[in-house]
Amino acid sequence: MSVTIKDIARAAGVSYSTVSKALRNSPLVKEPTRKHIKKIADQLGYQPNAAARSLVSKKSHTIGIVWPTIERAAHSSLITSMNNRLEQLSYTSLISINEMEFAINVFNRYRVDAVLVFDDGSNQGLSPSKVPVVSYGIAESSPFVPTVDVQRRKAIYLAAEYLHSIGHTKISYFGVMDTPDVMQREKAKGFDLAVEKFKLEAFPTLHVPVSSLESYEGYLAAKKLMQQEVKPTAIISSSHDLTKGILRAFQELNVSVPEDMSFISYDTIPEVNELEVPISTVGVPLEIITEKLTEALMDVVVEHDSKENIIYLEPGLSLRNSCKPFT
Amino acid sequence: MSVTIKDIARAAGVSYSTVSKALRNSPLVKEPTRKHIKKIADQLGYQPNAAARSLVSKKSHTIGIVWPTIERAAHSSLITSMNNRLEQLSYTSLISINEMEFAINVFNRYRVDAVLVFDDGSNQGLSPSKVPVVSYGIAESSPFVPTVDVQRRKAIYLAAEYLHSIGHTKISYFGVMDTPDVMQREKAKGFDLAVEKFKLEAFPTLHVPVSSLESYEGYLAAKKLMQQEVKPTAIISSSHDLTKGILRAFQELNVSVPEDMSFISYDTIPEVNELEVPISTVGVPLEIITEKLTEALMDVVVEHDSKENIIYLEPGLSLRNSCKPFT
DNA sequence: CTCCGAAATAACAACGTTGTTACTATAATG
DNA sequence: CATTATAGTAACAACGTTGTTATTTCGGAG
C-alpha cells in the first residue's frame, strides 16, 4: 500500500490538508511545520498519487507522444530532445508505440494535457480527440490539428537551387519515392519542382530511389550509382542516415567530397558533425524544431484552441564545404 | 471539458451509478437499459477517466516500460512484442525514455501496476520502488528484483561449444568488450569460458571488439578481420545487427558462409530469416522472452511479491546451415 | 387488494489530492 | 481586560469512478 498525505499527517500530528499545502510550498504554513512535514514525507518515501492529483486539478502535467511506426529509429533524437525540453518545463512525457488512434485513446483516458503525433499521412480523421493534439508534419495533410511544418519540400528545393546556382545541372536525389509517408513525398516533390524550374538534366539517375532511410540503403544505392555510365556532379540525400551510407560507399570507391562530388544532406542535426567529411545540410535545425513543438504544445495546453494553427519553420542551408562549383 | 458518466446519466435519465454498471457490463442492469446507456455514451464520445478509475480501484491496468538508453534501436522489436502481448491482456503499456530512476518515479506517481526495466548494469539500487519491478537482465546484477535472465553467457558458450564439437579451434568473437553494459559483458564472458574450457587457439583476432552493436560496426570489423594474416575458421557474432554488417562485408569480399567461414549469431529473432544467407543462431527466441516477461509482470501485479524471483530461460541453438565441420 | 420478495435502480461512501472556507490560538489595540 | 485582526491550522467539498447499501418498482401469492 502506498503512503498518502494522510499517513504523513498522522505521523506529523497535523491535518492532511496542511500536509498538502506544506508539500506544495504554500505560504499558508509556517516554515518549521513545513520542514517537519517534508522530512517525514521523505522518510516515508512519499510519492504523490498522480491519479488523485490530476483528478482534482484537471491537469496531468503530462504530454503523450505517439512514436511513429515508420522510421522509428530516425526520430529517436527528436524524441529525446522533446523529452528533455518537456522535462525542463516540469512536464513528463509518456510514449506509446501503438497505432495512432489507439494511442490517442489511451492518452485520452489518462487525460494527458496534450499529445504530439508524427504525421505519417494517416492523420486525416484526428478531429474527435478530446485531448488537444499537435502534429509534426505537413500542414495540408492534417487540417484540424495545429501543425509544425518544417517545409521539407522547400528545404530540398533550396538545396537544389543552391547546387544549380553554383553550376550543377546533373543532380541525383536519394530518397524514398513511392510511399504513403507524406514527409518523404514532400521532399521528393521539392526536388522535382527544382528540376523543372531550373531545367536540370533528366539523366537516368536523376532519382535514386531507396526503400527506406536506413544507412545501408544509401550505401547500396551509392555503390550502384557509381557504376552508371552517366554520373551526377552533385547529390542531395534526403536523410542523415542515408548520407552516412552514401559517404561510406564513397570512401570505399575513393570518391571524394567535394572534389569529385558535391553533396547536400537533409537533416540539420548535431550528428552531422560526427561524419568523417564536413557535409552541408539543409533543413530546420533539430533544436529549433523541438523548441517550436514544445511551444505549440504549451499553447494548446493553456488555450485548448490555438488560433495560429500552423507554424511554418523556415529551412535553411548550413554550408560546410561539401559543395564545389561546377564549371 | 470531458464527458463523464454523470453527463451520460443525465442524458439517459438514470443515476450515474447505473451508468457505471451498464458500461462495465454488470448483470445488475437490465439489458435494454444497458443498451440505451451504451448508445448514449457512444454518441457523447465518452472515454473513461483513467485517473478516477485507478484512484478507486487501485489498479491502473498499465505497465510502464523503461526504454534503455543504450542500444535503443536493438530493443525495438522486443518492446513492440511486449506491447502486443500486454495489449492482448488488455493492459496498456506506457514507455518512458528517461533515465531509469526518474522513469520509475514517474511510473510510481502514475501507479502503473508494474514496471519493466532493462538491466544495463546500474540497477543496483532499485529496492525503494513502491511499484513492483521486473527486470530483463542478469540475475546477479539486480538482486532485489524479479528478473528474467536469458543466460547470455551460456548462450555464447553453447555456440562456441558447438563450433568446437565440429572441429573448429580458431574462432573469433565479435562483440562489445569494454562496457558497463552487463548484458554484453556476460556474452563475452561466455566466450572466454569456452576458450578456456575447449582450449581454443589464442590467435590475434580471438576477440574482435566493436564499439556498439550497430551493423556498420560489424561491417568495419569484418573487413579488418579479413585483412589479417591469421583468420578464424568460425565466427560468433554477439548480435543480429552486427551479423548483418559482417555478412555484408563477406558478400563484398566473396567470403561465403559456411564454405569459407562458419557462423553463429546471437539473437533468435524473426528478422534472421530476412538475411540473404541462412544463419544459425543461439539464444532464447524472442517470443519466449516476451512471453515470460509478460508472465513475470502479471505475477508481480497480482502477488506484489513473487516468490520465484529469478526466471532463467534456456538458450538454444537454431541450426540453419551456416556451420561446416572443420577438418 | 394487500403484502412479500425479487429485480432493478438509486444513493452513498470511498479512493488521494487540492482549493476554499471555517475555526482557533495569538498578538495587537484601545 | 475585552475586542479585533491575523496567522496558522483544521475541516470540508469536489474531482470521476466503483462497490456496497438502500430504496423503489413490479409481479405474483394469499
Side-chain angles (χ1 to χ4, degrees), chain A residues 117-157:
Chain A
V117 303
F118 290 71
D119 190 352
D120 64 351
S122 66
N123 289 17
Q124 310 295 0
L126 271 189
S127 33
S129 164
K130 278 325 214 163
V131 57
V133 170
V134 167
S135 164
Y136 173 53
I138 312 295
E140 296 81 42
S141 86
S142 34
F144 305 116
V145 174
T147 299
V148 171
D149 184 334
V150 295
Q151 305 189 81
R152 294 165 184 79
R153 187 195 300 196
K154 194 167 181 177
I156 299 292
Y157 181 91

Side-chain angles (χ1 to χ4, degrees), chain A residues 1-3 45 47-52 54-55 58 60-62 67 72-73 76 79-80 83 87 92-98 102 105-111 130 214 216 219 223 244 248 251-252 276, chain B residues 1-3 45 47-52 54-55 58 60-62 67 72-73 76 79-80 83 87 92-98 102 105-111 130 214 216 219 223 244 248 251-252 276:
Chain A
M1 202 50 38
S2 297
V3 24
Q47 286 283 18
N49 183 322
S54 100
L55 182 58
K58 306 223 175 187
S60 61
H61 248 243
T62 303
W67 194 312
R72 194 165 278 168
S76 171
I79 290 192
T80 305
N83 191 60
E87 207 175 308
T92 299
S93 43
L94 250 25
I95 297 163
S96 169
I97 59 171
N98 285 291
F102 184 89
N105 258 336
V106 171
F107 288 142
N108 246 305
R109 286 203 293 275
Y110 274 86
R111 301 295 194 271
K130 278 325 214 163
E214 274 176 82
Y216 187 38
Y219 174 85
K223 281 234 162 160
K244 264 173 36 185
R248 185 192 317 156
Q251 207 170 347
E252 281 173 22
E276 298 89 355
Chain B
M1 203 50 37
S2 297
V3 22
Q47 286 284 17
N49 182 324
S54 99
L55 182 57
K58 307 223 175 186
S60 62
H61 248 243
T62 303
W67 194 312
R72 196 165 277 169
S76 172
I79 291 191
T80 305
N83 191 61
E87 208 176 305
T92 298
S93 42
L94 250 27
I95 298 163
S96 170
I97 60 171
N98 284 290
F102 184 89
N105 258 337
V106 171
F107 288 143
N108 246 304
R109 286 204 293 276
Y110 273 86
R111 300 293 194 273
K130 278 324 214 166
E214 273 176 84
Y216 187 39
Y219 174 85
K223 282 233 162 161
K244 265 175 33 187
R248 185 193 318 155
Q251 208 171 347
E252 281 173 21
E276 299 89 355

Side-chain angles (χ1 to χ4, degrees), chain A residues 39-72:
Chain A
K39 197 159 98 190
I40 292 187
D42 238 30
Q43 283 170 1
L44 298 181
Y46 171 74
Q47 286 283 18
N49 183 322
R53 180 176 278 185
S54 100
L55 182 58
V56 59
S57 71
K58 306 223 175 187
K59 284 266 160 285
S60 61
H61 248 243
T62 303
I63 302 290
I65 300 179
V66 185
W67 194 312
T69 319
I70 42 172
E71 313 292 354
R72 194 165 278 168

Side-chain angles (χ1 to χ4, degrees), chain A residues 11-280:
Chain A
V14 297
S15 82
Y16 66 87
S17 56
T18 304
V19 174
S20 167
K21 288 172 189 56
L23 292 177
R24 311 189 347 99
N25 292 325
S26 157
L28 295 177
V29 301
K30 257 210 315 211
E31 184 61 25
T33 324
R34 176 190 324 177
K35 281 224 170 110
H36 180 214
I37 291 177
K38 283 203 169 178
K39 197 159 98 190
I40 292 187
D42 238 30
Q43 283 170 1
L44 298 181
Y46 171 74
Q47 286 283 18
N49 183 322
R53 180 176 278 185
S54 100
L55 182 58
V56 59
S57 71
K58 306 223 175 187
K59 284 266 160 285
S60 61
H61 248 243
T62 303
I63 302 290
I65 300 179
V66 185
W67 194 312
T69 319
I70 42 172
E71 313 292 354
R72 194 165 278 168
H75 289 111
S76 171
S77 53
L78 190 138
I79 290 192
T80 305
S81 168
M82 283 304 298
N83 191 60
N84 293 338
R85 282 188 183 280
L86 290 172
E87 207 175 308
Q88 264 168 23
L89 297 168
S90 66
Y91 270 75
T92 299
S93 43
L94 250 25
I95 297 163
S96 169
I97 59 171
N98 285 291
E99 183 271 326
M100 172 141 37
E101 201 160 347
F102 184 89
I104 290 190
N105 258 336
V106 171
F107 288 142
N108 246 305
R109 286 203 293 275
Y110 274 86
R111 301 295 194 271
V112 298
D113 296 340
V115 173
L116 172 64
V117 303
F118 290 71
D119 190 352
D120 64 351
S122 66
N123 289 17
Q124 310 295 0
L126 271 189
S127 33
S129 164
K130 278 325 214 163
V131 57
V133 170
V134 167
S135 164
Y136 173 53
I138 312 295
E140 296 81 42
S141 86
S142 34
F144 305 116
V145 174
T147 299
V148 171
D149 184 334
V150 295
Q151 305 189 81
R152 294 165 184 79
R153 187 195 300 196
K154 194 167 181 177
I156 299 292
Y157 181 91
L158 234 62
E161 180 180 52
Y162 174 73
L163 288 171
H164 171 255
S165 79
I166 60 174
H168 293 274
T169 54
K170 276 218 290 288
I171 306 176
S172 283
Y173 172 76
F174 280 59
V176 185
M177 310 301 294
D178 191 26
T179 165
D181 181 347
V182 278
M183 308 217 195
Q184 308 316 318
R185 286 219 307 270
E186 279 294 299
K187 294 182 197 165
K189 217 177 279 176
F191 182 68
D192 288 342
L193 278 175
V195 168
E196 197 177 326
K197 172 87 172 184
F198 305 118
K199 311 234 178 310
L200 301 180
E201 287 183 40
F203 68 116
T205 53
L206 181 74
H207 296 117
V208 180
V210 290
S211 55
S212 81
L213 295 183
E214 274 176 82
S215 75
Y216 187 38
E217 285 290 322
Y219 174 85
L220 289 180
K223 281 234 162 160
K224 209 154 72 188
L225 173 69
M226 298 313 285
Q227 286 166 5
Q228 301 292 312
E229 211 168 311
V230 191
K231 298 186 191 62
T233 62
I235 284 179
I236 297 174
S237 155
S238 63
S239 97
H240 177 72
D241 281 340
L242 229 41
T243 298
K244 264 173 36 185
I246 299 170
L247 292 180
R248 185 192 317 156
F250 281 1
Q251 207 170 347
E252 281 173 22
L253 298 169
N254 274 316
V255 176
S256 70
V257 174
E259 284 70 25
D260 310 324
M261 185 72 77
S262 289
F263 201 109
I264 296 184
S265 171
Y266 185 80
D267 278 336
T268 303
I269 52 182
E271 286 92 320
V272 176
N273 298 312
E274 291 164 17
L275 298 171
E276 298 89 355
V277 205
I279 291 292
S280 297

Side-chain angles (χ1 to χ4, degrees), chain B residues 19-187:
Chain B
V19 174
S20 167
K21 289 170 188 56
L23 293 178
R24 310 190 346 100
N25 293 323
S26 157
L28 294 177
V29 301
K30 259 214 310 211
E31 184 60 25
T33 324
R34 175 190 325 176
K35 280 223 169 112
H36 180 214
I37 292 177
K38 283 203 169 179
K39 196 158 99 191
I40 292 185
D42 238 30
Q43 283 169 2
L44 298 181
Y46 170 74
Q47 286 284 17
N49 182 324
R53 181 176 277 187
S54 99
L55 182 57
V56 59
S57 71
K58 307 223 175 186
K59 284 265 160 284
S60 62
H61 248 243
T62 303
I63 302 290
I65 300 179
V66 185
W67 194 312
T69 319
I70 43 173
E71 313 293 352
R72 196 165 277 169
H75 288 111
S76 172
S77 54
L78 191 138
I79 291 191
T80 305
S81 168
M82 284 304 297
N83 191 61
N84 293 338
R85 282 187 183 281
L86 290 172
E87 208 176 305
Q88 266 168 21
L89 297 168
S90 66
Y91 270 76
T92 298
S93 42
L94 250 27
I95 298 163
S96 170
I97 60 171
N98 284 290
E99 183 269 326
M100 172 142 35
E101 201 160 347
F102 184 89
I104 290 189
N105 258 337
V106 171
F107 288 143
N108 246 304
R109 286 204 293 276
Y110 273 86
R111 300 293 194 273
V112 299
D113 296 341
V115 173
L116 173 64
V117 304
F118 290 70
D119 189 352
D120 65 353
S122 65
N123 291 17
Q124 310 296 0
L126 271 188
S127 33
S129 165
K130 278 324 214 166
V131 57
V133 171
V134 168
S135 164
Y136 173 53
I138 311 295
E140 296 80 42
S141 86
S142 34
F144 304 115
V145 174
T147 298
V148 171
D149 183 334
V150 295
Q151 303 189 82
R152 293 165 183 78
R153 185 194 302 196
K154 194 167 181 178
I156 299 291
Y157 181 91
L158 233 60
E161 181 180 53
Y162 174 73
L163 289 170
H164 170 256
S165 78
I166 59 174
H168 293 274
T169 54
K170 277 218 287 289
I171 306 176
S172 283
Y173 171 76
F174 280 60
V176 186
M177 310 300 295
D178 192 24
T179 165
D181 181 346
V182 277
M183 307 217 196
Q184 308 315 319
R185 286 218 309 269
E186 279 294 299
K187 292 182 200 166

